[in-house]
Amino acid sequence: MCLRQLLQSSQLQRAWRAAFLKHVQGRHPGAWRWTHSGGGPYRAVIFDMGGVLLPSPGRVAAEWEVQNHIPSGTIVKALISGGENGPWMKFMRAEITTEDFLQEFGRLCSEISKTSVPVDSFFSLLTSERVAKQFPVMTEAITQIRAKGLQTAVLSNNFYLPNGKSFLPLDRKQFDVVVESCLEGVCKPDPRMYKLCLERLGRQPSESIFLDDLGPNLKAAAGLGIHTIKVDDPETAVKELETLLGFPLRMAVPNTRPVRKTMEIPKDALEKYLKDLLGIQPTGPLELLQFDHGQSNPTYYVKLANHQLVLRKKPPGTLLPSAHAVEREFRIMKALGNAGVPVPKVLDLCEDSSVVGTPFYLMEYCPGLIYKDPSLPGLEPSQRRAIYTAMNRVLCKIHSVDLKAAGLEDYGKHGDYLARQVQTWIKQYRASETSTIPAMERLIKWLPLHLPRQQRTTVVHGDFRLDNLLFHPETAEVLAVLDWELSTLGDPLADVAYNCLAHYLPSGFPIQPGLSDCDLTELGIPTAEDYFRMYCLHMGIPPIENWNFYMAFSFFRIAAILQGVYKRSLTGQASSATAKQTGKLTEFMSNLAWDFAIKEGFQIFKEMPATKPLMRSHHTWSLLRTPGMRSYVTSTDSSPAHASKGALIFSPEGLPHQVRELYQQLKEFMERHVYPAEPELQRHQVSAERWTPSPLVEDLKEKAKAEGLWNLFLPLETDPKKKYGAGLTNMEYAHLCEVMGTSLYAPEIFNCSAPDTGNMELLVRYGTEEQKARWLIPLLEGKARSCFAMTEPQVASSDATNIESSIREEDGFYVINGHKWWITGGHGEVLFEQVRVPKENIILGPGRGFEIAQGRLGPGRIHHCMRLIGCSERALALMKARVKSRVAFGKPLVEQGTVLADIALSRVEIEQARLLVLKAAHVMDVVGNKAAALDIAMIKMVAPSMASRVIDRAIQAFGAAGLSSNYPLAQFFAGARALRFADGPDEVHQAAVAKMELKHHS
Ligand SMILES: Cc1cc2nc3c(=O)[nH]c(=O)nc-3n(C[C@H](O)[C@H](O)[C@H](O)COP(=O)(O)OP(=O)(O)OC[C@H]3O[C@@H](n4cnc5c(N)ncnc54)[C@H](O)[C@@H]3O)c2cc1C
């Protein structure tokens, strides 16, 4: 039996009917038919506010926690903490002020989640206009209840806002009685609250129905004899209320409402037009309602005689020429209808604006079900699977339409759809950009470079999602695909990816509920991968390899759209809390997009062909006089495109033009200024003045700054606008950093030394504007130095959890006590005794150190490795020169086989390590620091010991001179040796590599 037959089988139809009835009838299946009117024994309906008329604090918290990376459930735990005497209940009884509440509540949340929780932002969201909005289904129900002569009341545990008003974002006119806990000083479930409400209504408990989402509140009401309804979701609750009251509480046409004042259209003119069109003489009046959806093009339900129609028109006002093209919608629906795609049957296009004010078209009204929640609550797993399969099928049908036969060949441009789309959305995003979003910057670079090579051209819907489909109420049949406003000709896979967006969003996500936290197997819903596979199977095409690209693009597009909304909300009427939330959504979406880019990046990286590698032509260091000089016989004139194509550039010759120039300039500076200064700098280091900055270094710093050889380390990713640094990628910097590594003094001269580099990056990423002004700017200017104080003499500091130093809060200060040593900037030993740090100096907030440490240990983590390559190159260059000139046992040392073997080994080891450094830097650029963890750990494990070996061989070849201060070898060796544990012990990196190897490559 094929799937279609299966779906049509009577057994399945029965299952559908049962599920549908369950869906529409709530918990009272027997009472579906309206048997009586007027409310029976009930005379009043009492509503709780949060969770019944508006989203509950718990629901608001769920989405807020996701967006703010707060452990899920923190807010709810804190809300119920302390019971009747907890801060929330005290706040509801107006026993404490908002300020006191937020302080106490914030403390509780931080205790529960072990992280700092910005409760102010949660409170603003909870009370924002966007969130605190009455559910339309409840508005409708209240209207119907009152129309039948019943009373309504709201009985709310609420609070005072900082402006002194009570929080009740409802139209009070809807209620006969309003009882607010903060006014009364008493809260549900205290029976006094309910009694007060009944008294004011003048009703007996048995005459009233009470709706609440919380068990204890319902229990107290039931204890008084009030009939109760538990509200899990407003729609189901209204259905239950309908059955209790015995009359309908919803408009006859689902998802409609009375026409909005600003959207009214002249009924007389429309009626006349319809009479002519349909050739009828109706007796009754024309009925007009407005659909909830279709914000862009207002959509109306029209009933005249027995004709039920849908009218869709352009919005009033001046419009962009290509926007709101209802003519296109009419054209595509007509063509697709003829081609067998389920779309509402279109009747007429009226381009004459004199009828209803703008052009419009008419289609037949098609009754059916729209599933708004992609988790399809109330359905069985097999039914859910069938719905998703049907959706997939209908998408295939759209994408299989023969453009020529359907007369749609000129409905859009052919080819390069994604290239055009990417540019369009980049442009849109730039036009509404308000601040730099790192993920968006990365995507703007990444997307154009990773466009799929092959794209088909078909009809694309442009907004294909579950809630744009009208389903048969009893079978998994798509009756109609709605909303063709964004349709065009393009790459069909963009529709498939867009269709899977919900899979990656959490269930409580604003704008669109998602599935990311649902157990799809249990629900019977295919995963996104399965959905793609299903599509390929239905279409008869090979599996899609690069669907991560399409997902990245889809999320990028949504992020760009949200940024537009955000910009408008900043200039429009929206409250600042609403605007802020929309801003956060943009970032959230862009991060999701970048996650997909990372996944795709890995795939591309693995598949990258090894053709046309840029060869490092020679690796010799020329003369001792010019250490640090690598000479190249050939110089390939490579274009900047080499870097931008994402290729691994393993020769400086392959660097983009400007970077190559910088590289050359750096090398010249080293030769002109740094190497010659080394003897003097070394003298200063052993002199009595060694604890004060060397004037020569300060002088060289000014010279380097003047030449633009300054702050080269800040990676493009951290500083996309090149506000603070040179804007190099990690890989580009690796080549330059290697050159700096040839001299121990160079990094400081170019303001690229540790730990300042990591600290500066940290301030760029996490510092407030005040903190940046106070610390980052002086550091960037080379006027201040910084340190990183972690290691303690008493404990094994390889393990950061051993730290014994203490920090406590006292009168607006943090008080620090501890003993540190080996603190670079003089490798000093430091005692912190009652050190008082003003609270505002903390970066990012208490409890967020780990997060910062992770960020800090990004690119900075491999700078040591980059430098060690340079250091090893210089050691090898010195060794080669030495063994050629020094004679023992009648011949130059270089003629000894052991010396040759040492040289060969050193060359090979340096090359191996360099490739690994460059690869790690490249992976960081292409797929991000997090995904490069393995490569970073590998190179940290390899570079210090490799350098130690190479330098050790050079010292051996030099004999005693190798240990003297006439050459830098002894110092190099000490440095490389220290890095075998100072940047994390070799063993710890080994363990990390092994763990990742076992996890990912089993
Ligand atoms: C030149 C230099 C500069 C430094 N700069 C700074 C600085 O600026 N700021 C700062 O805070 N610290 C700095 N340090 C200190 C450095 O970070 C620590 O020495 C390092 O973290 C190791 O800690 P520890 O010395 O307490 O060794 P311990 O933690 O006692 O470890 C000793 C040894 O135990 C072994 N070991 C540890 N863990 C494992 C494991 N998981 N598996 C197997 N073996 C293990 C390793 O062989 C390790 O070398 C610097 C050190 C030097 C030498």
Side-chain angles (χ1 to χ4, degrees), residues 800-815:
T801 61
N802 279 345
I803 290 177
E804 281 188 344
S805 298
S806 68
I807 180 164
R808 65 185 155 79
E809 289 181 43
E810 194 181 284
D811 313 327
F813 284 88
Y814 290 109
V815 180

Side-chain angles (χ1 to χ4, degrees), residues 549-706:
F549 169 86
Y550 288 93
M551 293 305 307
F553 166 68
S554 290
F555 275 109
F556 173 74
R557 177 175 175 238
I558 292 286
I561 292 172
L562 284 171
Q563 181 61 32
V565 176
Y566 176 54
K567 174 92 185 271
R568 285 196 294 279
S569 74
L570 287 182
T571 45
Q573 303 298 314
S575 72
S576 64
T578 313
K580 212 165 143 194
Q581 283 306 314
T582 319
K584 280 194 176 159
L585 291 185
T586 310
E587 238 178 299
F588 181 83
M589 293 295 193
S590 63
N591 284 332
L592 277 177
W594 185 244
D595 282 349
F596 282 103
I598 287 174
K599 287 184 204 155
E600 182 72 6
F602 258 129
Q603 189 156 322
I604 290 174
F605 186 71
K606 280 187 207 144
E607 288 170 3
M608 215 155 62
T611 52
K612 287 200 195 158
L614 286 158
M615 294 296 292
R616 176 178 287 272
S617 46
H618 277 272
H619 321 281
T620 47
W621 292 86
S622 52
L623 295 169
L624 251 182
R625 240 178 347 100
T626 53
M629 179 70 184
R630 254 187 284 159
S631 67
Y632 298 91
V633 173
T634 53
S635 159
T636 48
D637 187 24
S638 40
S639 70
H642 284 130
S644 52
K645 282 264 157 60
L648 175 61
I649 302 168
F650 50 90
S651 162
E653 293 133 281
L655 290 170
H657 181 67
Q658 278 179 336
V659 185
R660 207 169 59 212
E661 281 196 344
L662 206 59
Y663 176 89
Q664 208 51 45
Q665 207 186 329
L666 178 71
K667 278 181 43 171
E668 280 164 21
F669 191 97
M670 293 289 290
E671 278 151 33
R672 246 184 312 127
H673 302 293
V674 181
Y675 303 126
E678 282 182 335
E680 169 57 29
L681 295 174
Q682 204 181 10
R683 263 194 301 280
H684 178 266
Q685 238 179 9
V686 292
S687 74
E689 285 80 51
R690 64 181 179 277
W691 302 112
T692 52
S694 145
L696 181 53
V697 167
E698 295 308 305
D699 178 48
L700 290 175
K701 274 161 72 174
E702 288 310 313
K703 283 199 170 80
K705 207 189 286 183

Side-chain angles (χ1 to χ4, degrees), residues 839-852:
K839 266 191 168 175
E840 64 270 18
N841 288 11
I842 200 163
I843 295 172
L844 212 60
R848 301 185 70 177
F850 186 71
E851 196 182 320
I852 296 177

Side-chain angles (χ1 to χ4, degrees), residues 107-391:
R107 194 190 52 74
L108 256 177
C109 290
S110 303
E111 237 172 62
I112 294 168
S113 63
K114 309 266 178 297
T115 173
S116 141
V117 179
V119 287
D120 291 37
S121 114
F122 167 68
F123 189 70
S124 321
L125 177 67
L126 183 71
T127 53
S128 69
E129 278 169 37
R130 180 175 76 80
V131 165
K133 231 190 328 197
Q134 186 164 316
F135 296 124
V137 63
M138 285 295 177
T139 314
E140 256 178 55
I142 292 168
T143 314
Q144 303 295 336
I145 293 167
R146 290 169 68 83
K148 289 279 177 190
L150 271 71
Q151 289 171 296
T152 51
V154 63
L155 179 56
S156 171
N157 281 0
N158 65 347
F159 45 83
Y160 279 114
L161 292 166
N163 63 11
K165 291 188 181 153
S166 64
F167 175 64
L168 198 94
L170 306 170
D171 179 0
R172 287 175 187 258
K173 290 201 287 295
Q174 301 171 95
F175 306 100
D176 299 282
V177 167
V178 174
V179 183
E180 300 176 70
S181 67
C182 62
L183 262 68
E184 309 299 340
V186 57
C187 266
K188 287 178 290 182
D190 190 321
R192 281 179 293 170
M193 272 289 263
Y194 307 84
K195 285 183 188 156
L196 209 64
C197 184
L198 290 172
E199 214 175 277
R200 290 182 191 169
L201 282 167
R203 292 288 157 208
Q204 292 302 314
S206 59
E207 291 177 302
S208 319
I209 303 173
F210 173 60
L211 292 93
D212 201 305
D213 57 327
L214 300 177
N217 293 352
L218 292 164
K219 205 172 154 194
L224 294 172
I226 303 174
H227 196 99
T228 59
I229 293 179
K230 169 131 177 42
V231 182
D232 290 320
D233 108 89
E235 304 247 353
T236 319
V238 165
K239 278 166 199 150
E240 197 168 334
L241 188 59
E242 272 178 344
T243 54
L244 274 185
L245 293 174
F247 56 85
L249 296 178
R250 319 209 39 184
M251 296 272 184
V253 184
N255 306 311
T256 59
R257 57 163 78 208
V259 178
R260 286 195 190 95
K261 273 261 167 291
T262 51
M263 292 293 172
E264 274 170 3
I265 49 178
K267 274 189 175 180
D268 293 350
L270 179 62
E271 189 169 337
K272 181 175 176 308
Y273 174 84
L274 288 175
K275 278 184 196 161
D276 291 349
L277 180 75
L278 303 167
I280 51 168
Q281 280 304 325
T283 44
L286 176 135
E287 254 183 68
L288 200 62
L289 292 166
Q290 191 175 350
F291 282 98
D292 292 334
H293 53 270
Q295 269 94 342
S296 169
N297 288 335
T299 310
Y300 303 82
Y301 168 84
V302 186
K303 189 164 180 224
L304 191 62
N306 57 352
H307 291 270
Q308 295 190 82
L309 308 170
V310 175
L311 182 154
R312 201 155 145 88
K313 70 187 276 290
K314 292 190 185 209
T318 323
L319 306 173
L320 291 173
S322 61
H324 310 280
V326 291
E327 303 84 356
R328 274 175 68 82
E329 280 183 52
F330 179 80
R331 177 182 170 196
I332 187 87
M333 284 164 77
K334 192 163 184 160
L336 293 180
N338 292 337
V341 175
V343 285
K345 188 170 173 216
V346 285
L347 298 177
D348 193 41
L349 171 71
C350 174
E351 292 179 273
D352 175 0
S353 295
S354 70
V355 182
V356 297
T358 65
F360 67 95
Y361 68 92
L362 284 162
M363 50 193 153
E364 279 181 3
Y365 173 68
C366 178
L369 268 184
I370 293 181
Y371 295 105
K372 293 194 173 161
D373 185 337
S375 69
L376 300 172
L379 297 192
E380 298 297 324
S382 60
Q383 292 168 326
R384 293 196 186 96
R385 175 111 202 143
I387 290 275
Y388 274 81
T389 307
M391 175 160 71

Side-chain angles (χ1 to χ4, degrees), residues 417-426 447-448 451 549 553 556:
Y417 170 72
L418 284 166
R420 283 182 280 114
Q421 280 281 305
V422 165
Q423 289 313 324
T424 302
W425 291 108
I426 291 177
L447 286 166
L451 292 169
F549 169 86
F553 166 68
F556 173 74

Side-chain angles (χ1 to χ4, degrees), residues 400-470:
S400 306
V401 167
D402 180 337
L403 295 181
K404 198 166 173 196
L408 289 170
E409 272 183 305
D410 60 346
Y411 190 63
K413 290 187 184 144
H414 288 245
D416 285 338
Y417 170 72
L418 284 166
R420 283 182 280 114
Q421 280 281 305
V422 165
Q423 289 313 324
T424 302
W425 291 108
I426 291 177
K427 229 190 271 165
Q428 297 264 14
Y429 172 72
R430 288 288 187 225
S432 55
E433 194 178 359
T434 47
S435 66
T436 304
I437 300 175
M440 288 304 268
E441 295 305 320
R442 290 194 292 259
L443 287 158
I444 286 170
K445 286 214 169 67
W446 188 88
L447 286 166
L449 297 174
H450 295 87
L451 292 169
R453 262 164 271 147
Q454 284 181 343
Q455 293 170 38
R456 284 182 305 135
T457 299
T458 69
V459 169
V460 289
H461 181 277
D463 192 14
F464 192 82
R465 49 195 164 108
L466 185 63
D467 60 347
N468 266 335
L469 304 186
L470 204 63

